[in-house]
PDB file of all heavy atoms in Angstrom:
ATOM      1  N   MET A 139      88.309  90.676 115.453  1.00 75.00           N
ATOM      2  CA  MET A 139      88.376  90.834 116.911  1.00 75.00           C
ATOM      3  C   MET A 139      88.416  92.311 117.284  1.00 75.00           C
ATOM      4  O   MET A 139      87.743  92.740 118.222  1.00 75.00           O
ATOM      5  CB  MET A 139      89.618  90.131 117.469  1.00 75.00           C
ATOM      6  CG  MET A 139      89.487  88.643 117.608  1.00 75.00           C
ATOM      7  SD  MET A 139      91.021  87.868 118.203  1.00 75.00           S
ATOM      8  CE  MET A 139      91.409  88.838 119.646  1.00 75.00           C
ATOM      9  N   ARG A 140      89.209  93.055 116.550  1.00 75.00           N
ATOM     10  CA  ARG A 140      89.341  94.468 116.860  1.00 75.00           C
ATOM     11  C   ARG A 140      88.024  95.206 116.627  1.00 75.00           C
ATOM     12  O   ARG A 140      87.591  96.003 117.452  1.00 75.00           O
ATOM     13  CB  ARG A 140      90.452  95.088 116.009  1.00 75.00           C
ATOM     14  CG  ARG A 140      90.748  96.499 116.392  1.00 75.00           C
ATOM     15  CD  ARG A 140      92.019  97.000 115.728  1.00 75.00           C
ATOM     16  NE  ARG A 140      91.988  98.429 115.792  1.00 75.00           N
ATOM     17  CZ  ARG A 140      91.910  99.240 114.756  1.00 75.00           C
ATOM     18  NH1 ARG A 140      91.913  98.768 113.550  1.00 75.00           N
ATOM     19  NH2 ARG A 140      91.860 100.535 114.922  1.00 75.00           N
ATOM     20  N   ILE A 141      87.374  94.917 115.514  1.00 77.00           N
ATOM     21  CA  ILE A 141      86.085  95.565 115.213  1.00 77.00           C
ATOM     22  C   ILE A 141      85.065  95.214 116.279  1.00 77.00           C
ATOM     23  O   ILE A 141      84.425  96.092 116.865  1.00 77.00           O
ATOM     24  CB  ILE A 141      85.572  95.163 113.818  1.00 77.00           C
ATOM     25  CG1 ILE A 141      86.452  95.784 112.731  1.00 77.00           C
ATOM     26  CG2 ILE A 141      84.116  95.576 113.629  1.00 77.00           C
ATOM     27  CD1 ILE A 141      86.237  95.195 111.342  1.00 77.00           C
ATOM     28  N   TYR A 142      84.886  93.922 116.539  1.00 76.00           N
ATOM     29  CA  TYR A 142      83.876  93.500 117.509  1.00 76.00           C
ATOM     30  C   TYR A 142      84.224  93.937 118.922  1.00 76.00           C
ATOM     31  O   TYR A 142      83.347  94.277 119.701  1.00 76.00           O
ATOM     32  CB  TYR A 142      83.664  91.991 117.453  1.00 76.00           C
ATOM     33  CG  TYR A 142      83.041  91.530 116.160  1.00 76.00           C
ATOM     34  CD1 TYR A 142      83.418  90.332 115.577  1.00 76.00           C
ATOM     35  CD2 TYR A 142      82.089  92.298 115.490  1.00 76.00           C
ATOM     36  CE1 TYR A 142      82.866  89.903 114.381  1.00 76.00           C
ATOM     37  CE2 TYR A 142      81.539  91.892 114.293  1.00 76.00           C
ATOM     38  CZ  TYR A 142      81.919  90.688 113.744  1.00 76.00           C
ATOM     39  OH  TYR A 142      81.367  90.272 112.565  1.00 76.00           O
ATOM     40  N   SER A 143      85.504  93.928 119.243  1.00 69.00           N
ATOM     41  CA  SER A 143      85.910  94.358 120.583  1.00 69.00           C
ATOM     42  C   SER A 143      85.658  95.842 120.788  1.00 69.00           C
ATOM     43  O   SER A 143      85.319  96.274 121.883  1.00 69.00           O
ATOM     44  CB  SER A 143      87.399  94.062 120.813  1.00 69.00           C
ATOM     45  OG  SER A 143      87.623  92.681 120.835  1.00 69.00           O
ATOM     46  N   PHE A 144      85.821  96.620 119.729  1.00 72.00           N
ATOM     47  CA  PHE A 144      85.680  98.061 119.862  1.00 72.00           C
ATOM     48  C   PHE A 144      84.239  98.546 119.741  1.00 72.00           C
ATOM     49  O   PHE A 144      83.909  99.633 120.192  1.00 72.00           O
ATOM     50  CB  PHE A 144      86.549  98.785 118.843  1.00 72.00           C
ATOM     51  CG  PHE A 144      88.024  98.775 119.183  1.00 72.00           C
ATOM     52  CD1 PHE A 144      88.521  98.032 120.233  1.00 72.00           C
ATOM     53  CD2 PHE A 144      88.916  99.502 118.437  1.00 72.00           C
ATOM     54  CE1 PHE A 144      89.873  98.008 120.544  1.00 72.00           C
ATOM     55  CE2 PHE A 144      90.274  99.497 118.735  1.00 72.00           C
ATOM     56  CZ  PHE A 144      90.746  98.750 119.798  1.00 72.00           C
ATOM     57  N   LEU A 145      83.369  97.759 119.131  1.00 72.00           N
ATOM     58  CA  LEU A 145      81.973  98.170 118.999  1.00 72.00           C
ATOM     59  C   LEU A 145      81.355  98.276 120.391  1.00 72.00           C
ATOM     60  O   LEU A 145      81.364  97.326 121.160  1.00 72.00           O
ATOM     61  CB  LEU A 145      81.172  97.171 118.168  1.00 72.00           C
ATOM     62  CG  LEU A 145      81.408  97.196 116.676  1.00 72.00           C
ATOM     63  CD1 LEU A 145      80.624  96.072 116.000  1.00 72.00           C
ATOM     64  CD2 LEU A 145      81.004  98.530 116.075  1.00 72.00           C
ATOM     65  N   GLY A 146      80.857  99.420 120.711  1.00 76.00           N
ATOM     66  CA  GLY A 146      80.188  99.615 121.992  1.00 76.00           C
ATOM     67  C   GLY A 146      81.115  99.759 123.186  1.00 76.00           C
ATOM     68  O   GLY A 146      80.636  99.949 124.300  1.00 76.00           O
ATOM     69  N   MET A 147      82.411  99.652 122.974  1.00 80.00           N
ATOM     70  CA  MET A 147      83.341  99.819 124.093  1.00 80.00           C
ATOM     71  C   MET A 147      83.569 101.291 124.366  1.00 80.00           C
ATOM     72  O   MET A 147      83.654 102.081 123.441  1.00 80.00           O
ATOM     73  CB  MET A 147      84.718  99.228 123.726  1.00 80.00           C
ATOM     74  CG  MET A 147      84.938  97.827 124.090  1.00 80.00           C
ATOM     75  SD  MET A 147      86.703  97.480 123.807  1.00 80.00           S
ATOM     76  CE  MET A 147      86.705  95.758 124.130  1.00 80.00           C
ATOM     77  N   ASP A 148      83.702 101.617 125.633  1.00 85.00           N
ATOM     78  CA  ASP A 148      84.111 102.986 125.914  1.00 85.00           C
ATOM     79  C   ASP A 148      85.633 103.052 125.868  1.00 85.00           C
ATOM     80  O   ASP A 148      86.314 102.038 125.742  1.00 85.00           O
ATOM     81  CB  ASP A 148      83.544 103.488 127.243  1.00 85.00           C
ATOM     82  CG  ASP A 148      83.964 102.658 128.444  1.00 85.00           C
ATOM     83  OD1 ASP A 148      84.939 101.894 128.341  1.00 85.00           O
ATOM     84  OD2 ASP A 148      83.311 102.794 129.493  1.00 85.00           O
ATOM     85  N   GLY A 149      86.162 104.246 125.926  1.00 85.00           N
ATOM     86  CA  GLY A 149      87.585 104.478 125.727  1.00 85.00           C
ATOM     87  C   GLY A 149      88.485 103.695 126.661  1.00 85.00           C
ATOM     88  O   GLY A 149      89.495 103.136 126.239  1.00 85.00           O
ATOM     89  N   ILE A 150      88.125 103.622 127.943  1.00 89.00           N
ATOM     90  CA  ILE A 150      88.975 102.921 128.907  1.00 89.00           C
ATOM     91  C   ILE A 150      89.064 101.432 128.589  1.00 89.00           C
ATOM     92  O   ILE A 150      90.107 100.797 128.727  1.00 89.00           O
ATOM     93  CB  ILE A 150      88.531 103.178 130.373  1.00 89.00           C
ATOM     94  CG1 ILE A 150      89.617 102.778 131.364  1.00 89.00           C
ATOM     95  CG2 ILE A 150      87.225 102.476 130.673  1.00 89.00           C
ATOM     96  CD1 ILE A 150      90.738 103.762 131.462  1.00 89.00           C
ATOM     97  N   ASP A 151      87.956 100.861 128.103  1.00 87.00           N
ATOM     98  CA  ASP A 151      87.957  99.437 127.744  1.00 87.00           C
ATOM     99  C   ASP A 151      88.780  99.184 126.488  1.00 87.00           C
ATOM    100  O   ASP A 151      89.433  98.142 126.373  1.00 87.00           O
ATOM    101  CB  ASP A 151      86.529  98.921 127.574  1.00 87.00           C
ATOM    102  CG  ASP A 151      85.793  98.845 128.908  1.00 87.00           C
ATOM    103  OD1 ASP A 151      86.461  98.631 129.942  1.00 87.00           O
ATOM    104  OD2 ASP A 151      84.563  99.006 128.906  1.00 87.00           O
ATOM    105  N   LYS A 152      88.774 100.124 125.557  1.00 86.00           N
ATOM    106  CA  LYS A 152      89.624  99.998 124.368  1.00 86.00           C
ATOM    107  C   LYS A 152      91.098  99.986 124.775  1.00 86.00           C
ATOM    108  O   LYS A 152      91.884  99.190 124.286  1.00 86.00           O
ATOM    109  CB  LYS A 152      89.378 101.153 123.391  1.00 86.00           C
ATOM    110  CG  LYS A 152      88.055 101.097 122.674  1.00 86.00           C
ATOM    111  CD  LYS A 152      87.917 102.303 121.748  1.00 86.00           C
ATOM    112  CE  LYS A 152      86.563 102.355 121.088  1.00 86.00           C
ATOM    113  NZ  LYS A 152      86.448 103.509 120.181  1.00 86.00           N
ATOM    114  N   LEU A 153      91.446 100.875 125.686  1.00 87.00           N
ATOM    115  CA  LEU A 153      92.826 100.949 126.158  1.00 87.00           C
ATOM    116  C   LEU A 153      93.218  99.660 126.890  1.00 87.00           C
ATOM    117  O   LEU A 153      94.312  99.130 126.690  1.00 87.00           O
ATOM    118  CB  LEU A 153      93.018 102.164 127.061  1.00 87.00           C
ATOM    119  CG  LEU A 153      94.429 102.445 127.545  1.00 87.00           C
ATOM    120  CD1 LEU A 153      95.416 102.570 126.388  1.00 87.00           C
ATOM    121  CD2 LEU A 153      94.440 103.720 128.384  1.00 87.00           C
ATOM    122  N   LYS A 154      92.323  99.125 127.702  1.00 88.00           N
ATOM    123  CA  LYS A 154      92.584  97.855 128.382  1.00 88.00           C
ATOM    124  C   LYS A 154      92.759  96.721 127.368  1.00 88.00           C
ATOM    125  O   LYS A 154      93.590  95.836 127.557  1.00 88.00           O
ATOM    126  CB  LYS A 154      91.456  97.528 129.361  1.00 88.00           C
ATOM    127  CG  LYS A 154      91.470  98.399 130.600  1.00 88.00           C
ATOM    128  CD  LYS A 154      90.279  98.086 131.494  1.00 88.00           C
ATOM    129  CE  LYS A 154      90.244  98.986 132.709  1.00 88.00           C
ATOM    130  NZ  LYS A 154      89.040  98.769 133.531  1.00 88.00           N
ATOM    131  N   TRP A 155      91.974  96.751 126.281  1.00 84.00           N
ATOM    132  CA  TRP A 155      92.090  95.729 125.233  1.00 84.00           C
ATOM    133  C   TRP A 155      93.491  95.782 124.614  1.00 84.00           C
ATOM    134  O   TRP A 155      94.116  94.744 124.410  1.00 84.00           O
ATOM    135  CB  TRP A 155      91.019  95.948 124.165  1.00 84.00           C
ATOM    136  CG  TRP A 155      90.986  94.881 123.115  1.00 84.00           C
ATOM    137  CD1 TRP A 155      90.231  93.751 123.130  1.00 84.00           C
ATOM    138  CD2 TRP A 155      91.731  94.843 121.885  1.00 84.00           C
ATOM    139  NE1 TRP A 155      90.470  93.004 121.986  1.00 84.00           N
ATOM    140  CE2 TRP A 155      91.385  93.650 121.211  1.00 84.00           C
ATOM    141  CE3 TRP A 155      92.662  95.684 121.293  1.00 84.00           C
ATOM    142  CZ2 TRP A 155      91.930  93.292 119.983  1.00 84.00           C
ATOM    143  CZ3 TRP A 155      93.215  95.334 120.066  1.00 84.00           C
ATOM    144  CH2 TRP A 155      92.836  94.151 119.427  1.00 84.00           C
ATOM    145  N   VAL A 156      93.962  96.987 124.337  1.00 86.00           N
ATOM    146  CA  VAL A 156      95.305  97.126 123.765  1.00 86.00           C
ATOM    147  C   VAL A 156      96.355  96.629 124.753  1.00 86.00           C
ATOM    148  O   VAL A 156      97.294  95.933 124.366  1.00 86.00           O
ATOM    149  CB  VAL A 156      95.589  98.587 123.338  1.00 86.00           C
ATOM    150  CG1 VAL A 156      97.063  98.809 123.066  1.00 86.00           C
ATOM    151  CG2 VAL A 156      94.775  98.924 122.100  1.00 86.00           C
ATOM    152  N   LEU A 157      96.207  96.960 126.025  1.00 86.00           N
ATOM    153  CA  LEU A 157      97.149  96.485 127.042  1.00 86.00           C
ATOM    154  C   LEU A 157      97.208  94.956 127.075  1.00 86.00           C
ATOM    155  O   LEU A 157      98.278  94.372 127.227  1.00 86.00           O
ATOM    156  CB  LEU A 157      96.760  97.009 128.423  1.00 86.00           C
ATOM    157  CG  LEU A 157      97.139  98.454 128.719  1.00 86.00           C
ATOM    158  CD1 LEU A 157      96.457  98.940 129.988  1.00 86.00           C
ATOM    159  CD2 LEU A 157      98.646  98.588 128.838  1.00 86.00           C
ATOM    160  N   GLU A 158      96.065  94.330 126.898  1.00 87.00           N
ATOM    161  CA  GLU A 158      96.009  92.865 126.949  1.00 87.00           C
ATOM    162  C   GLU A 158      96.486  92.216 125.656  1.00 87.00           C
ATOM    163  O   GLU A 158      97.221  91.242 125.667  1.00 87.00           O
ATOM    164  CB  GLU A 158      94.582  92.404 127.246  1.00 87.00           C
ATOM    165  CG  GLU A 158      94.445  90.897 127.335  1.00 87.00           C
ATOM    166  CD  GLU A 158      93.024  90.441 127.601  1.00 87.00           C
ATOM    167  OE1 GLU A 158      92.185  91.254 128.029  1.00 87.00           O
ATOM    168  OE2 GLU A 158      92.765  89.250 127.383  1.00 87.00           O
ATOM    169  N   HIS A 159      96.067  92.747 124.503  1.00 83.00           N
ATOM    170  CA  HIS A 159      96.315  92.086 123.216  1.00 83.00           C
ATOM    171  C   HIS A 159      97.497  92.646 122.419  1.00 83.00           C
ATOM    172  O   HIS A 159      98.077  91.920 121.617  1.00 83.00           O
ATOM    173  CB  HIS A 159      95.051  92.143 122.346  1.00 83.00           C
ATOM    174  CG  HIS A 159      93.921  91.358 122.905  1.00 83.00           C
ATOM    175  ND1 HIS A 159      92.960  91.921 123.713  1.00 83.00           N
ATOM    176  CD2 HIS A 159      93.616  90.046 122.805  1.00 83.00           C
ATOM    177  CE1 HIS A 159      92.099  90.991 124.068  1.00 83.00           C
ATOM    178  NE2 HIS A 159      92.477  89.844 123.537  1.00 83.00           N
ATOM    179  N   GLU A 160      97.822  93.911 122.593  1.00 85.00           N
ATOM    180  CA  GLU A 160      98.891  94.537 121.813  1.00 85.00           C
ATOM    181  C   GLU A 160      99.690  95.523 122.662  1.00 85.00           C
ATOM    182  O   GLU A 160      99.797  96.698 122.317  1.00 85.00           O
ATOM    183  CB  GLU A 160      98.297  95.239 120.586  1.00 85.00           C
ATOM    184  CG  GLU A 160      97.510  94.299 119.679  1.00 85.00           C
ATOM    185  CD  GLU A 160      96.982  94.989 118.449  1.00 85.00           C
ATOM    186  OE1 GLU A 160      97.803  95.259 117.557  1.00 85.00           O
ATOM    187  OE2 GLU A 160      95.775  95.264 118.384  1.00 85.00           O
ATOM    188  N   PRO A 161     100.275  95.071 123.765  1.00 88.00           N
ATOM    189  CA  PRO A 161     100.952  95.992 124.682  1.00 88.00           C
ATOM    190  C   PRO A 161     102.138  96.723 124.049  1.00 88.00           C
ATOM    191  O   PRO A 161     102.479  97.821 124.495  1.00 88.00           O
ATOM    192  CB  PRO A 161     101.412  95.080 125.832  1.00 88.00           C
ATOM    193  CG  PRO A 161     101.451  93.714 125.246  1.00 88.00           C
ATOM    194  CD  PRO A 161     100.364  93.683 124.206  1.00 88.00           C
ATOM    195  N   MET A 162     102.751  96.149 123.022  1.00 87.00           N
ATOM    196  CA  MET A 162     103.894  96.795 122.376  1.00 87.00           C
ATOM    197  C   MET A 162     103.503  98.155 121.790  1.00 87.00           C
ATOM    198  O   MET A 162     104.336  99.050 121.682  1.00 87.00           O
ATOM    199  CB  MET A 162     104.472  95.892 121.279  1.00 87.00           C
ATOM    200  CG  MET A 162     105.847  96.342 120.824  1.00 87.00           C
ATOM    201  SD  MET A 162     106.567  95.326 119.519  1.00 87.00           S
ATOM    202  CE  MET A 162     106.565  93.706 120.228  1.00 87.00           C
ATOM    203  N   LEU A 163     102.234  98.317 121.450  1.00 88.00           N
ATOM    204  CA  LEU A 163     101.789  99.599 120.888  1.00 88.00           C
ATOM    205  C   LEU A 163     102.040 100.742 121.867  1.00 88.00           C
ATOM    206  O   LEU A 163     102.404 101.844 121.455  1.00 88.00           O
ATOM    207  CB  LEU A 163     100.301  99.556 120.533  1.00 88.00           C
ATOM    208  CG  LEU A 163      99.882  98.612 119.415  1.00 88.00           C
ATOM    209  CD1 LEU A 163      98.382  98.752 119.155  1.00 88.00           C
ATOM    210  CD2 LEU A 163     100.661  98.870 118.145  1.00 88.00           C
ATOM    211  N   LEU A 164     101.851 100.471 123.148  1.00 87.00           N
ATOM    212  CA  LEU A 164     101.977 101.545 124.131  1.00 87.00           C
ATOM    213  C   LEU A 164     103.420 101.858 124.494  1.00 87.00           C
ATOM    214  O   LEU A 164     103.689 102.896 125.082  1.00 87.00           O
ATOM    215  CB  LEU A 164     101.164 101.205 125.384  1.00 87.00           C
ATOM    216  CG  LEU A 164      99.660 101.064 125.125  1.00 87.00           C
ATOM    217  CD1 LEU A 164      98.948 100.623 126.382  1.00 87.00           C
ATOM    218  CD2 LEU A 164      99.063 102.353 124.584  1.00 87.00           C
ATOM    219  N   THR A 165     104.351 100.986 124.125  1.00 89.00           N
ATOM    220  CA  THR A 165     105.751 101.249 124.434  1.00 89.00           C
ATOM    221  C   THR A 165     106.538 101.745 123.220  1.00 89.00           C
ATOM    222  O   THR A 165     107.532 102.442 123.394  1.00 89.00           O
ATOM    223  CB  THR A 165     106.441  99.988 124.992  1.00 89.00           C
ATOM    224  OG1 THR A 165     106.325  98.919 124.056  1.00 89.00           O
ATOM    225  CG2 THR A 165     105.817  99.572 126.316  1.00 89.00           C
ATOM    226  N   ARG A 166     106.098 101.408 122.010  1.00 90.00           N
ATOM    227  CA  ARG A 166     106.886 101.759 120.825  1.00 90.00           C
ATOM    228  C   ARG A 166     106.203 102.756 119.899  1.00 90.00           C
ATOM    229  O   ARG A 166     106.845 103.290 119.000  1.00 90.00           O
ATOM    230  CB  ARG A 166     107.191 100.499 120.015  1.00 90.00           C
ATOM    231  CG  ARG A 166     108.265  99.682 120.687  1.00 90.00           C
ATOM    232  CD  ARG A 166     108.796  98.576 119.879  1.00 90.00           C
ATOM    233  NE  ARG A 166     109.314  98.873 118.572  1.00 90.00           N
ATOM    234  CZ  ARG A 166     109.677  97.918 117.720  1.00 90.00           C
ATOM    235  NH1 ARG A 166     109.564  96.658 118.046  1.00 90.00           N
ATOM    236  NH2 ARG A 166     110.145  98.242 116.535  1.00 90.00           N
ATOM    237  N   ILE A 167     104.952 102.988 120.089  1.00 90.00           N
ATOM    238  CA  ILE A 167     104.180 103.810 119.155  1.00 90.00           C
ATOM    239  C   ILE A 167     103.806 105.131 119.829  1.00 90.00           C
ATOM    240  O   ILE A 167     103.462 105.164 121.007  1.00 90.00           O
ATOM    241  CB  ILE A 167     102.901 103.060 118.715  1.00 90.00           C
ATOM    242  CG1 ILE A 167     103.253 101.695 118.120  1.00 90.00           C
ATOM    243  CG2 ILE A 167     102.089 103.878 117.744  1.00 90.00           C
ATOM    244  CD1 ILE A 167     104.154 101.736 116.912  1.00 90.00           C
TER     245      ILE A 167
END
Side-chain angles (χ1 to χ4, degrees):
M139 281 177 51
R140 187 169 162 245
I141 290 166
Y142 293 143
S143 294
F144 285 7
L145 285 175
M147 268 189 186
D148 59 17
I150 196 77
D151 290 330
K152 289 179 185 181
L153 185 55
K154 287 177 182 176
W155 185 92
V156 166
L157 281 168
E158 181 181 343
H159 294 93
E160 302 182 74
M162 195 181 303
L163 294 183
L164 298 176
T165 57
R166 285 190 55 188
I167 304 300

